[in-house]
Amino acid sequence: MVGYLHWQEKISAQASISNVEKSESKDINSLTASGSQNVKDYTKNLPPNLKIMIEDASNKGKKIKFVIYGSETTSNNKNAWPNILKTEMNEAYGSVFEFIIISEKDKTSKEVVNENLFEKVTKENPDVLLFEPFLLKDNGEVGIINTLLNIEDMIADLKEKNEDVFVMLQPPHPLYNATFYPKEVQEFKQFALAEGYIYLDHWQSWPKQNDSELKQYLSEDNAKPNDKGNRVWADYLAQYFISR
């Protein structure tokens, strides 16, 4: 009888320990699932293949190389939209992305191709490229047909090295009361969509081009966005990449 009671006590104690372990295990799994769910929530706006890439990198602790490339409008300055976007995406996704920001000052798309400047991007071998391809500098100098051919050449060079690279296109900032530039941007948009690229139309978030308020978002020479313009641009992109 004493022996039986002794073993019953041991079995009860083991059962209690087991229940605690199961409870702790359940809590850990719950936390893991919660973290994973957060990433899935953030990627709701994204196309399926990019969504899978991000979720896979998050689950496996991998890095996604995210290159942001363009004109001086795509600046590496602290208050410019690329760094604002980088900060917000890192806050949401943690260390999933490795951001590289590359800008070309005062270059047309023709000069970028002829001088092999796009090689900087190709050498990085990005998983994702967010590309603002020099439309503002090309305006009145290169012609939209040649601009689109130059864009095709640059992307083709990149895809030769990595055919799975995810390319996203966007225009530079809008200009107040411009005539030909908006038409060229519209042709660029049609090209991007026809070729199957994601087109990030941040112009939707700016004041209308014939609204004098737009001047409050640009530098005095219209060459780039000011702090207010950078914030509008970054906010549009952050809402796309991070579904709240």
Side-chain angles (χ1 to χ4, degrees), residues 180-234:
F180 297 107
Y181 173 58
K183 294 176 182 176
E184 293 182 344
V185 169
Q186 185 59 31
E187 288 188 55
F188 168 56
K189 178 179 179 178
Q190 290 170 357
F191 157 82
L193 297 176
E195 294 297 318
Y197 298 115
I198 296 296
Y199 183 78
L200 296 172
D201 192 1
H202 59 87
W203 281 26
Q204 297 173 12
S205 296
W206 297 71
K208 300 297 181 186
Q209 296 158 57
N210 59 357
D211 186 343
S212 61
E213 186 190 354
L214 179 59
K215 293 188 282 187
Q216 298 174 23
Y217 292 74
L218 305 173
S219 61
E220 286 187 15
D221 60 359
N222 287 333
K224 56 188 176 181
N226 59 21
D227 286 351
K228 196 171 181 179
N230 274 301
R231 172 52 68 180
V232 166
W233 192 339

Side-chain angles (χ1 to χ4, degrees), residues 25-140:
S25 175
K26 186 178 178 182
D27 289 343
I28 290 166
N29 290 335
S30 174
L31 287 169
T32 304
S34 173
S36 175
Q37 187 61 43
N38 285 339
V39 170
K40 287 182 180 178
D41 285 344
Y42 289 144
T43 59
K44 280 180 182 176
N45 294 333
L46 302 178
N49 47 350
L50 183 55
K51 204 171 181 179
I52 290 167
M53 185 193 297
I54 294 171
E55 289 170 12
D56 184 61
S58 177
N59 290 333
K60 296 179 180 177
K62 292 180 180 178
K63 287 275 190 183
I64 294 173
K65 189 175 278 192
F66 193 122
V67 172
I68 301 173
Y69 182 61
S71 67
E72 56 263 46
T73 293
T74 302
S75 169
N76 202 5
N77 290 339
K78 181 182 176 182
N79 295 327
W81 67 262
N83 273 311
I84 298 173
L85 177 64
K86 172 184 171 181
T87 299
E88 295 204 18
M89 287 182 70
N90 283 339
E91 284 177 1
Y93 291 105
S95 57
V96 169
F97 294 99
E98 176 191 352
F99 286 95
I100 297 162
I101 302 165
I102 307 171
S103 62
E104 306 290 357
K105 189 173 181 182
D106 204 29
K107 295 288 182 181
T108 64
S109 64
K110 181 179 178 181
E111 289 169 330
V112 170
V113 170
N114 290 345
E115 297 172 27
N116 293 319
L117 298 176
F118 191 75
E119 186 67 18
K120 298 172 191 173
V121 175
T122 307
K123 283 181 178 177
E124 292 294 345
N125 193 21
D127 300 300
V128 178
L129 171 64
L130 177 56
F131 187 16
E132 175 260 305
F134 316 104
L135 265 75
L136 188 53
K137 185 63 180 175
D138 281 10
N139 178 243

